[in-house]
Amino acid sequence: MPYPSHAIVQWTKDSAKQLLPDAVFLSLLHWKRIGRFPKLFRPTTYNEKILLRCLRPDPRYSALTDKLTARDYVRDKIGEKFLIPMISAPCNFTQTIFDMLPNSFVMKANHGSSFVEIVRDKSQCTFEHLQFLVSRWLSTNFYRNARERHYRGIQPRIFFENLLLDEHGAIPADYKVHCFANRPGRPVMFILVISDRFGSNTRGDTYDAQWNHLDLEFAPYLRSTRPAPPPNNLELLLDTAALLSEDFDYVRVDLYAPTDEVFFGELTFTPGAGVSPMRPDCVDFEWGRLLK
């Protein structure tokens, strides 16, 4: 049976995109999503400077973006207690590995974004389902998605962590702390809170370090109509982000803060690959002035 014409057209487009040089690919994607071509030689906006990082990454980025090797950095920097307990990081996923997993856990891959599978009850999950995800994740070349070059240095692996739950038995909010070290002392910090990330009412709200709810939306997240109360451990969360970011002029530190604890999620040096719309657009320029 011949392939439908629309499938052939899409395959042709996708193949053509892969042939584009990284700078051209990202410039076109920036224009498509942001609405203007990036100034690569004299970047001024936040997205332009992030895009340039994708093309010229710091040599440290690969090891610190790898969710497994980043644990060593966190352990040395702030201690083991800030790491989500690890269950297993097998070289191969087998039935035996599956059988040894506890009743609840989280399966992740180390080499990209959104490789997350939450299992609350293993009796409702099958080895074949997870094996399918593992095969798909490990065969994904995440660098090809948005040409973030430091991802090329990460060897794909899967791993299993304890499932974190808040006091209500829900998946805790994701605190993405943007840290700009453009002054002595604690960096300028903005906290993007992703709530109900795996539910039907996902929201993204941005706060400053004093927990003022900012008029800012990061695509694709919608802003809540009402601000959430600050976490009880806000100061510990900010102190943790500051310590993990102190070796860089900018990094986004992703943390979880269930109950009174703080746990490390990941370090992100090129959020949105420099093609993430910000509303209002003027914030793209304001944050650009904070980023060296």
Side-chain angles (χ1 to χ4, degrees):
M1 179 181 294
Y3 289 107
S5 59
H6 65 83
I8 295 175
V9 170
Q10 187 60 50
W11 179 85
T12 303
K13 287 182 178 179
D14 292 342
S15 298
K17 287 179 184 178
Q18 298 306 316
L19 297 175
L20 292 174
D22 291 349
V24 175
F25 178 93
L26 280 170
S27 294
L28 290 172
L29 194 55
H30 188 280
W31 169 76
K32 179 180 179 181
R33 295 187 178 175
I34 308 295
R36 54 179 170 267
F37 280 104
K39 295 182 290 184
L40 296 183
F41 294 102
R42 298 188 65 182
T44 57
T45 69
Y46 167 79
N47 271 297
E48 286 171 346
K49 292 181 179 182
I50 293 298
L51 189 153
L52 205 58
R53 283 182 164 210
C54 295
L55 298 172
R56 302 174 188 171
D58 184 305
R60 298 173 294 176
Y61 288 176
S62 286
L64 295 175
T65 299
D66 183 326
K67 293 179 180 63
L68 283 172
T69 55
R71 291 173 65 93
D72 295 330
Y73 175 80
V74 174
R75 185 179 294 108
D76 293 342
K77 199 77 175 172
I78 58 176
E80 183 82 28
K81 68 178 183 178
F82 291 93
L83 294 170
I84 300 173
M86 177 81 73
I87 299 170
S88 176
C91 294
N92 298 293
F93 182 57
T94 63
Q95 181 71 54
T96 301
I97 296 295
F98 177 78
D99 293 341
M100 293 174 62
L101 291 170
N103 185 58
S104 63
F105 57 88
V106 180
M107 183 175 80
K108 299 180 180 179
N110 67 325
H111 68 296
S113 177
S114 301
F115 297 140
V116 180
E117 179 73 1
I118 294 171
V119 176
R120 286 178 173 266
D121 181 357
K122 194 171 75 167
S123 69
Q124 303 301 311
C125 179
T126 66
F127 166 70
E128 288 75 19
H129 170 67
L130 295 187
Q131 187 180 47
F132 170 78
L133 291 178
V134 169
S135 177
R136 191 178 72 190
W137 292 353
L138 297 188
S139 63
T140 298
N141 184 338
F142 198 77
Y143 151 72
R144 302 304 299 179
N145 287 358
R147 310 298 178 90
E148 297 167 273
R149 288 179 171 173
H150 51 291
Y151 281 97
R152 294 184 299 189
I154 301 176
Q155 181 66 37
R157 291 274 302 277
I158 60 160
F159 61 101
F160 300 88
E161 291 178 338
N162 283 2
L163 173 63
L164 294 183
L165 298 174
D166 64 18
E167 64 272 23
H168 305 294
I171 304 299
D174 194 351
Y175 294 86
K176 300 178 179 295
V177 189
H178 294 264
C179 302
F180 297 88
N182 65 345
R183 65 181 186 184
R186 179 182 275 190
V188 176
M189 292 188 278
F190 299 99
I191 310 151
L192 173 61
V193 183
I194 308 299
S195 55
D196 198 27
R197 179 181 171 190
F198 300 99
S200 59
N201 191 37
T202 304
R203 289 291 184 267
D205 295 277
T206 306
Y207 302 85
D208 63 16
Q210 290 71 47
W211 206 255
N212 295 303
H213 194 207
L214 304 181
D215 181 18
L216 171 61
E217 284 187 352
F218 278 93
Y221 302 110
L222 296 177
R223 186 171 175 266
S224 300
T225 55
R226 291 185 179 182
N232 295 331
N233 50 1
L234 176 61
E235 281 306 307
L236 176 59
L237 186 144
L238 294 175
D239 288 343
T240 303
L243 286 170
L244 291 177
S245 69
E246 67 181 3
D247 295 327
F248 313 100
D249 55 10
Y250 167 79
V251 64
R252 196 189 76 198
V253 182
D254 293 5
L255 301 169
Y256 304 99
T259 60
D260 293 323
E261 299 176 286
V262 169
F263 290 101
F264 170 74
E266 63 181 285
L267 298 175
T268 304
F269 297 94
T270 55
V275 296
S276 181
M278 306 168 75
R279 295 184 289 267
D281 183 58
C282 62
V283 180
D284 202 359
F285 293 85
E286 293 170 4
W287 283 27
R289 289 191 287 271
L290 295 174
L291 183 52
K292 296 177 183 178

